[in-house]
Amino acid sequence: MTRRQASSTRRGGLSRILHSKSKSSPLLSISLVLFGAILLILYACSGSGVLGGRKDVVSRVEGDFSCTFEVSSAIPVLKNAYGGSMKNVLHVGPESCSVVAKFLREGETEAWGVEPYDIEDADRNCKALVQKGIVRVADIKFPLPYRAKSFSHVIVSDALDYLSPKYLNKSLPELARVSADGIIIFAGYPGQRRAKIAQLSKFGRPAKMRSSTWWQQLFTETSLEENEAAVKKFEQAASKMSYNPACQIFHLNSYH
């Protein structure tokens, strides 16, 4: 008799546990659904920038560092430093459409672009800029399709890092030729990664990050002088606007 009572007691306890779980399962399901919905909302917000998410931050995490995204962030600082002298700008480098579009949206400064590589995967807005002739696809290893001093300033990013010294000695003077008031170069720091494997077919070679000393030597060899006044104004504007660049930024005078 005692053994049967124990068995009966175990069955009763199991029944109560199962009954308790059956009551809590709807609540658990609702909690999981709400948790999933919150995660989806947070993900959507981060992608749209509501939580301060930036495309360049994501790119850095993935190892696909880009100074072009840095240019977009630096535009307000550049305008503050250069003032009204930055009248018409030529951006040279991959994703040039994004930089040109930002300049055009903010007004005041006219902007054009040179995309050194194919744009087969470009969006509709970028292709529209190309069709209008605002952005051109051109290999910067060769002369640019513009007259001398066509632009007040030339901004370069994510392009020179891929060129060997042989081509840099030709491309830099060409950039200086089409600029009237200055050249601004955004270059990666040594140790930074650049370009995914899939991009190597476009660039032809992996990016090579050079030190500021290396760049300064190249500028000397190509008779390009640093614009000390612009450097000072940019540093002051960056400090005032709490801007901390993630790329090396060089301010050079054009040929006169």
Side-chain angles (χ1 to χ4, degrees):
M1 292 293 292
T2 303
R3 194 174 297 171
R4 289 178 182 173
Q5 289 177 354
S7 177
S8 177
T9 302
R10 285 196 297 270
R11 285 197 299 270
L14 179 60
S15 177
R16 284 193 296 273
I17 292 172
L18 292 174
H19 183 65
S20 175
K21 286 186 176 181
S22 66
K23 286 185 176 180
S24 62
S25 60
L27 182 60
L28 180 61
S29 299
I30 293 173
S31 299
L32 289 173
V33 170
L34 290 175
F35 181 71
I38 291 172
L39 287 178
L40 288 174
I41 292 172
L42 290 174
Y43 177 79
C45 289
S46 64
S48 61
V50 175
L51 298 181
R54 283 173 50 189
K55 187 177 180 181
D56 53 330
V57 173
V58 174
S59 295
R60 291 171 198 174
V61 171
E62 294 175 349
D64 179 22
F65 187 85
S66 172
C67 280
T68 296
F69 294 129
E70 191 68 30
V71 174
S72 297
S73 301
I75 286 177
V77 186
L78 289 170
K79 286 186 173 183
N80 190 301
Y82 284 89
S85 68
M86 189 168 275
K87 300 175 182 178
N88 56 340
V89 171
L90 174 69
H91 174 261
V92 178
E95 305 294 336
S96 188
C97 288
S98 63
V99 176
V100 171
K102 184 161 185 177
F103 268 113
L104 295 177
R105 282 196 303 270
E106 295 185 359
E108 298 178 0
T109 303
E110 297 179 359
W112 284 265
V114 170
E115 167 62 60
Y117 312 104
D118 66 78
I119 57 167
E120 293 180 359
D121 299 329
D123 59 25
R124 181 176 58 185
N125 294 330
C126 183
K127 290 182 177 179
L129 290 174
V130 173
Q131 290 175 353
K132 294 176 182 178
I134 297 175
V135 175
R136 295 187 180 185
V137 179
D139 191 338
I140 63 172
K141 294 177 182 177
F142 302 97
L144 295 173
Y146 301 104
R147 295 180 180 178
K149 302 186 184 302
S150 293
F151 309 95
S152 64
H153 296 82
V154 172
I155 301 175
V156 193
S157 63
D158 293 330
L160 300 182
D161 291 324
Y162 293 92
L163 296 182
S164 65
K166 172 185 175 181
Y167 289 110
L168 281 171
N169 286 327
K170 297 178 180 179
S171 296
L172 273 175
E174 185 63 10
L175 295 171
R177 181 186 69 83
V178 300
S179 64
D181 299 321
I183 309 164
I184 305 163
I185 297 174
F186 286 71
Y189 284 103
Q192 286 176 328
R193 296 178 60 187
R194 182 71 57 77
K196 295 176 285 188
I197 299 300
Q199 291 178 309
L200 294 182
S201 60
K202 294 182 180 180
F203 298 112
R205 67 196 302 269
K208 187 170 184 179
M209 305 303 163
R210 286 113 171 183
S211 66
S212 60
T213 303
W214 190 94
W215 283 109
Q216 294 293 348
Q217 180 63 34
L218 178 66
F219 299 150
T220 300
E221 292 174 359
T222 51
S223 301
L224 287 170
E225 298 178 352
E226 185 177 48
N227 187 336
E228 295 180 359
V231 171
K232 185 176 181 179
K233 289 180 180 179
F234 183 85
E235 290 176 348
Q236 291 174 343
S239 177
K240 182 179 178 181
M241 303 174 75
S242 299
Y243 171 70
N244 185 25
C247 293
Q248 299 184 84
I249 304 178
F250 301 101
H251 304 264
L252 306 173
N253 288 316
S254 301
Y255 292 140
H256 296 290

